[in-house]
Amino acid sequence: MLKTMSSGSKQPIFRFLDEVGRISSFTGRFFAEGFRPRYEWAELLRQCYVIGYRTLPLVGITAFIMGLVLTVQSRPTLEEFGAESYLPSMVALSVIREIGPVITALICAGKVGSSIGAELGSMRVTEQIDAMEVSGTNPFKFLVVTRVMACTLMLPVLVVVADFISLYASYVGVNIKDVVSLELYYNNVFNSLVYGDVLPAFVKTYFFGFAIGIVGCFKGYHSDKGTEGVGIAANSAVVVSSLLVFIIDLVAVQIADILGLT
Amino acid sequence: MTGIQPIDHSAGPVVIRTHDLYKSFGKNTVLRGFNLELHKGENLVVLGKSGSGKSVLIKCIVGLISIDSGSITVFGKEVSELDQAGLDAIRVKIGFLFQSSALYDSMTVRENLEFPLRRHGKGMSREEIDRLVIEVLESVGLRHAVDLMPSELSGGMRKRIGLARTLILKPDIILYDEPTTGLDPVTGREISKLIVDIRQQYGTSSIIITHDMYCTRIVADRILVLSDGICHAQGNYQALSSSEDLVVHPFFHSI
Ligand SMILES: Nc1ncnc2c1ncn2[C@@H]1O[C@H](COP(=O)(O)OP(=O)(O)OP(=O)(O)O)[C@@H](O)[C@H]1O
Ligand SMILES: [Mg+2]
């Protein structure tokens, strides 16, 4: 139904604005319908499991490599200034404030965003969403609201796990040359961290999760007929949500700056 | 309408009435003033060429597609004026068999069948649900498929599972979109007989969209030919099969 409204003009700028408008009204619908009964708890839990648990190995491995590489590569520079003792806190700062959230979000945009886009897209194409609707179940609540909520709730969890794994990897990296106890290492890290480092970084992960969920669902839910539409839905879900992650990151930095949280 | 006299089926009350229905997609006008009445307990077959708007018609009836103008009443309620709750209440009473079966890919056959029950069969016990699932599966002859995934089923099996899912809530009205298309003649006949049985057993009223003349012959109380967006002709099988009308004739004499 929505389709008939759009795709009228061919100019890219109008297509872009049209798309922005449609995503906005989709988001509006999420807030209008998401917080009214009936709540789909069982499906929400299942989605949290799917999104959180199944992405964990990938996020874990990436986080470990990231922490290790960052540590090993930063060492020579710091050594030049005779500042190796700052290595743990420097790595911790970059991981917790920036790299952890952004890399985790990008991995989720790739893995979760595309799978939501493809799943809902194929459900749209094969009329499963229509079937759900005529069976008296609100497909928007059952499919979209649960997935967006699950993304929003699970991304921060994944980021926290990724941060810890990265820090552990960094500890391993430090120990390649020096010998530092885990306790000393973590003391060093946590003494250097202040509230202003952790809080904005944590808050923005909710927005990352929300954006990934909304974009994936939007692309799938309104995908075009035909199997081609499924591929396009999955693909553009990844592209748009990755881009949004960076934009949100940029905005978050500005806001944190204005609020004096840096 | 051409010269064919509609036979009188106004015995039962009208359960679905569409009046002066218009629907277009962009420049493509699909329905242009379509009228239809479905009476309680009646099997109404809708014939029409591919792309004539048969699927669009029944999707309008359940509110999946919004109409441009005209009126659709189901059980006396105007569909376009219902809010979500009202629409859901009506949809529970209508079974819809999709042309593409539309089974939920991520669920097993059992979960597919349980899905409507869990949402509308309030307070049903585990045993009751199991019993109903097996019952409908037996009625479509696919009891053994209960734990398969939809991707493991053939096209005909999917169709039958789709039918089982439609039946499980014992709807008052069933809309069948091409129930026998893509099936071998033997299975097609079984489904046609099943449609007759369902009406006998539950007293359902149905709209059946089909190209299958065997199916039409054994299930139809009344046949309606949809052409150019209007009801071109209607009548019973005998009346229409002897029609010389250029649109009606080819359906009955294709060989
Ligand atoms: N969602 C839609 N958007 C745009 N056009 C549509 C849509 N659905 C159907 N149409 C158009 O409406 C017309 C009727 O389609 P419909 O699916 O009702 O045909 P049908 O009579 O069911 O044919 P078939 O026997 O092949 O299933 C077609 O021309 C189709 O292109
Ligand atoms: Mg059709």
Side-chain angles (χ1 to χ4, degrees):
Chain A
M1 269 178 264
L2 258 168
K3 232 180 347 179
T4 45
M5 280 162 39
S6 70
S7 64
S9 54
K10 283 161 202 74
Q11 295 237 307
I13 179 72
F14 288 119
R15 271 216 310 260
F16 173 76
L17 291 176
D18 183 59
E19 184 88 349
V20 170
R22 274 156 28 99
I23 292 194
S24 310
S25 77
F26 192 79
T27 311
R29 188 170 169 199
F30 170 83
F31 286 110
E33 295 197 15
F35 298 99
R36 261 188 280 145
R38 101 185 237 176
Y39 302 112
E40 308 283 357
W41 295 116
E43 180 67 9
L44 175 63
L45 271 181
R46 202 179 73 85
Q47 287 305 322
C48 283
Y49 168 79
V50 169
I51 290 168
Y53 189 73
R54 297 224 183 121
T55 333
L56 199 56
L58 191 60
V59 166
I61 291 168
T62 320
F64 189 88
I65 294 172
M66 217 167 55
L68 190 66
V69 169
L70 201 63
T71 309
V72 171
Q73 290 200 330
S74 304
R75 181 192 288 278
T77 323
L78 286 177
E79 266 174 354
E80 243 175 76
F81 298 103
E84 310 98 285
S85 59
Y86 285 106
L87 192 55
S89 50
M90 200 212 77
V91 171
L93 266 184
S94 23
V95 163
I96 288 175
R97 290 186 60 150
E98 190 57 34
I99 298 178
V102 171
I103 297 282
T104 309
L106 288 179
I107 290 172
C108 286
K111 189 164 161 64
V112 178
S114 67
S115 80
I116 290 178
E119 187 189 10
L120 295 197
S122 72
M123 289 187 78
R124 166 65 69 199
V125 169
T126 57
E127 298 183 308
Q128 292 173 53
I129 293 182
D130 288 343
M132 210 170 262
E133 195 162 347
V134 294
S135 76
T137 296
N138 183 339
F140 193 88
K141 274 205 165 109
F142 188 83
L143 299 171
V144 174
V145 172
T146 52
R147 280 164 178 74
V148 175
M149 293 233 185
C151 277
T152 314
L153 294 174
M154 290 320 285
L155 197 78
V157 176
L158 286 171
V159 168
V160 169
V161 173
D163 283 353
F164 274 102
I165 292 175
S166 279
L167 292 183
Y168 179 74
S170 161
Y171 162 77
V172 172
V174 168
N175 271 287
I176 292 174
K177 274 204 166 171
D178 297 331
V179 181
V180 183
S181 77
L182 192 60
E183 202 184 337
L184 184 66
Y185 177 84
Y186 269 83
N187 273 337
N188 192 333
V189 166
F190 284 108
N191 286 337
S192 67
L193 285 176
V194 293
Y195 223 39
D197 297 324
V198 181
L199 193 67
F202 189 66
V203 170
K204 75 181 171 191
T205 57
Y206 282 98
F207 289 89
F208 289 165
F210 183 76
I212 292 167
I214 278 282
V215 171
C217 287
F218 172 77
K219 290 291 181 185
Y221 204 73
H222 292 302
S223 76
D224 282 323
K225 296 265 162 180
T227 34
E228 206 184 343
V230 179
I232 296 173
N235 191 281
S236 58
V238 177
V239 174
V240 175
S241 55
S242 310
L243 197 64
L244 269 182
V245 164
F246 287 114
I247 294 175
I248 292 172
D249 196 37
L250 189 68
V251 173
V253 166
Q254 301 298 325
I255 293 178
D257 199 30
I258 292 168
L259 294 179
L261 284 171
T262 41
Chain B
M1 244 183 271
T2 50
I4 300 149
Q5 284 299 310
I7 53 159
D8 185 29
H9 254 282
S10 44
V14 174
V15 287
I16 297 179
R17 169 178 285 128
T18 74
H19 180 69
D20 212 17
L21 212 56
Y22 278 84
K23 176 68 197 172
S24 35
F25 297 98
K27 289 200 184 80
N28 176 12
T29 305
V30 180
L31 299 174
R32 47 187 107 211
F34 185 82
N35 296 314
L36 161 157
E37 277 181 359
L38 177 71
H39 298 274
K40 186 157 172 38
E42 185 186 25
N43 276 347
L44 172 66
V45 167
V46 175
L47 296 177
K49 280 198 289 194
S50 194
S52 59
K54 306 181 298 296
S55 299
V56 169
L57 169 69
I58 56 171
K59 283 181 186 170
C60 286
I61 291 175
V62 290
L64 274 179
I65 297 181
S66 59
I67 55 175
D68 296 340
S69 70
S71 111
I72 298 174
T73 52
V74 180
F75 297 119
K77 297 201 178 80
E78 181 66 45
V79 172
S80 55
E81 286 167 6
L82 290 172
D83 59 358
Q84 193 61 46
L87 207 52
D88 284 349
I90 276 196
R91 282 170 173 170
V92 172
K93 295 188 201 158
I94 305 182
F96 195 114
L97 178 65
F98 281 83
Q99 192 167 354
S100 58
S101 305
L103 301 181
Y104 305 127
D105 285 334
S106 58
M107 306 181 194
T108 64
V109 166
R110 182 193 295 277
E111 286 162 344
N112 261 281
L113 297 179
E114 284 176 354
F115 189 81
L117 280 183
R118 289 196 182 286
R119 322 213 111 235
H120 300 294
K122 290 171 189 66
M124 278 183 131
S125 67
R126 182 74 250 174
E127 291 77 43
E128 263 176 290
I129 291 179
D130 276 346
R131 191 182 51 74
L132 262 174
V133 166
I134 296 302
E135 185 189 310
V136 288
L137 277 179
E138 270 170 359
S139 70
V140 296
L142 280 178
R143 196 196 154 138
H144 58 279
V146 64
D147 288 317
L148 296 182
M149 294 301 283
S151 56
E152 296 169 301
L153 304 175
S154 74
M157 290 164 88
R158 294 170 72 100
K159 208 132 227 171
R160 285 191 279 167
I161 299 296
L163 186 54
R165 191 178 65 184
T166 310
L167 291 177
I168 203 159
L169 281 178
K170 311 247 155 57
D172 298 328
I173 300 175
I174 303 181
L175 309 175
Y176 300 90
D177 198 345
E178 310 203 358
T180 58
T181 306
L183 302 184
D184 64 277
V186 180
T187 318
R189 272 155 210 230
E190 278 168 12
I191 296 278
S192 305
K193 290 193 183 110
L194 193 58
I195 294 174
V196 175
D197 288 347
I198 289 166
R199 196 256 304 262
Q200 239 150 36
Q201 221 177 326
Y202 305 113
T204 41
S205 331
S206 317
I207 296 179
I208 302 117
I209 290 174
T210 187
H211 303 285
D212 176 353
M213 292 325 284
Y214 174 85
C215 176
T216 306
R217 189 158 58 78
I218 74 161
V219 307
D221 298 318
R222 186 158 59 102
I223 301 169
L224 185 155
V225 180
L226 168 59
S227 174
D228 286 325
I230 57 163
C231 169
H232 183 83
Q234 57 175 321
N236 63 11
Y237 189 87
Q238 263 188 326
L240 289 193
S241 60
S242 57
S243 163
E244 294 295 317
D245 184 273
L246 283 178
V247 176
V248 179
H249 188 81
F251 283 105
F252 293 85
H253 304 276
S254 48
I255 324 163

